[in-house]
Amino acid sequence: MNDDTRRAVESWAGSSVDSATELDGGEVGSVHRVDLGDGRRVVAKTADTDLRTEATMLRHLAEHGLAVPEVYHATADLLLLAFVDGGSAVTPSVERDLADRLAALHSNGAPTFGFPVDTLTGRLDLPNPRIGDWPTFFGEHRLASMAEHAAGEGLLPAADRDRIDALVSDLPSLLDHEPTPALIHGDVWAENLITDGERVRAFLDPACYYADPEVELAYIEWTGTGGEEFFDRYRERAGLPDGVADRRPIYRLLPLLVHLRHFGEAYLDPIRETLELLGY
């Protein structure tokens, strides 16, 4: 933790910083567990992105019943959160609890897809215009938007972008199941969970918006975060519509494009393989 951050934390806390231990900060910023002189323990996050966006997402999820760290203080360059103790092990019991919590989260609806503000996934912008048509929202403001930026950054060749554009044009027929807008966390995988071996104690680093909840489920399958225990329990709690397996490769393209922009060309072949699987 640098001196400026230390002073900012002490100014907010009205107490000295005894120690600061670096934690895994994900793809953006630096995260520290901070032990204060008065005995309190908080998490301090700094980043090049505007951290008020993350605070907005965490507060929105908390207001809709998801277990997330309490936001104590948020400015553009400093976010202070409650410290939640635990690990990231996903046991069968945790899978079932995860399914319960996400089924409950997804029961929160909205009139349209999107979100009250534009948000972020890692360091990447997520535009969130309020749109009532799901293929339009997901096609234009997720797949096409990510592909455009990836191409502009020299990561996605023109031929591959054309294949994605062709898929986006066909989304009205490919995504014809008329999902209801549902609140999703948007980045559920083991490293964004704090667990105690039995349940999920807190969800971290959201990329939330109102979406087809299958987007969340496809990501959980792709990351290996949830298996049979998760999906059986989720099906009991919320049900799964016909054709869900056919739509998963479409939804998998979004995190593949995000990872391409975060981590580079190692994700180009999986994007091509997914497009080929889909017939593009």
Side-chain angles (χ1 to χ4, degrees):
M1 175 183 291
N2 64 37
D3 289 342
D4 288 343
T5 302
R6 182 181 294 270
R7 284 192 290 268
V9 172
E10 290 177 338
S11 176
W12 166 81
S15 178
S16 63
V17 170
D18 272 1
S19 65
T21 304
E22 189 166 12
L23 306 173
D24 182 8
E27 300 317 310
V28 297
S30 177
V31 181
H32 289 82
R33 188 194 74 202
V34 179
D35 293 303
L36 297 168
D38 61 9
R40 287 178 292 166
R41 176 174 286 175
V42 300
V43 171
K45 183 171 184 176
T46 59
D48 292 333
T49 58
D50 189 336
L51 289 166
R52 291 173 296 186
T53 301
E54 182 173 342
T56 295
M57 290 191 287
L58 288 169
R59 286 168 172 152
H60 192 87
L61 291 171
E63 289 167 2
H64 290 81
L66 195 67
V68 297
E70 182 179 353
V71 176
Y72 291 147
H73 173 78
T75 63
D77 53 9
L78 177 63
L79 180 62
L80 296 178
L81 304 171
F83 175 77
V84 181
D85 197 15
S88 58
V90 179
T91 64
S93 178
V94 168
E95 285 191 49
R96 292 189 291 271
D97 184 64
L98 177 63
D100 289 344
R101 292 173 186 271
L102 290 181
L105 179 69
H106 297 165
S107 71
N108 291 287
T112 58
F113 300 99
F115 200 67
V117 298
D118 289 347
T119 53
L120 296 164
T121 178
R123 58 178 173 78
L124 307 178
D125 293 332
L126 288 178
N128 284 309
R130 305 313 295 264
I131 293 175
D133 180 69
W134 173 243
T136 298
F137 179 89
F138 188 73
E140 294 183 7
H141 302 290
R142 289 298 181 266
L143 292 185
S145 176
M146 281 292 168
E148 178 183 3
H149 285 291
E153 293 159 2
L155 296 166
L156 186 69
D160 297 303
R161 182 182 175 187
D162 289 345
R163 295 166 72 189
I164 291 172
D165 287 344
L167 172 68
V168 168
S169 295
D170 292 341
L171 283 183
S173 60
L174 296 171
L175 301 178
D176 62 352
H177 58 305
E178 299 183 357
T180 299
L183 181 59
I184 67 171
H185 174 281
D187 197 4
V188 175
W189 70 295
E191 295 301 317
N192 283 346
L193 302 175
I194 298 176
T195 76
D196 61 8
E198 294 294 325
R199 63 189 180 94
V200 181
R201 301 199 66 207
F203 292 74
L204 309 177
D205 295 338
C208 59
Y209 58 106
Y210 288 85
D212 179 354
E214 290 180 28
V215 170
E216 190 114 270
L217 304 182
Y219 185 66
I220 287 171
E221 182 190 51
W222 179 66
T223 59
T225 305
E228 185 175 340
E229 295 283 351
F230 171 82
F231 284 100
D232 285 349
R233 185 63 159 256
Y234 187 92
R235 189 178 291 107
E236 290 175 9
R237 294 292 186 260
L240 290 173
D242 293 340
V244 61
D246 296 330
R247 290 184 288 272
R248 281 178 182 166
I250 298 172
Y251 292 146
R252 189 164 67 235
L253 278 172
L254 178 58
L256 285 170
L257 286 165
V258 169
H259 279 63
L260 176 68
R261 295 184 64 198
H262 273 140
F263 304 113
E265 63 182 14
Y267 287 90
L268 190 54
D269 280 347
I271 288 171
R272 290 169 172 164
E273 291 163 3
T274 302
L275 287 167
E276 184 175 354
L277 176 67
L278 291 165
Y280 292 85

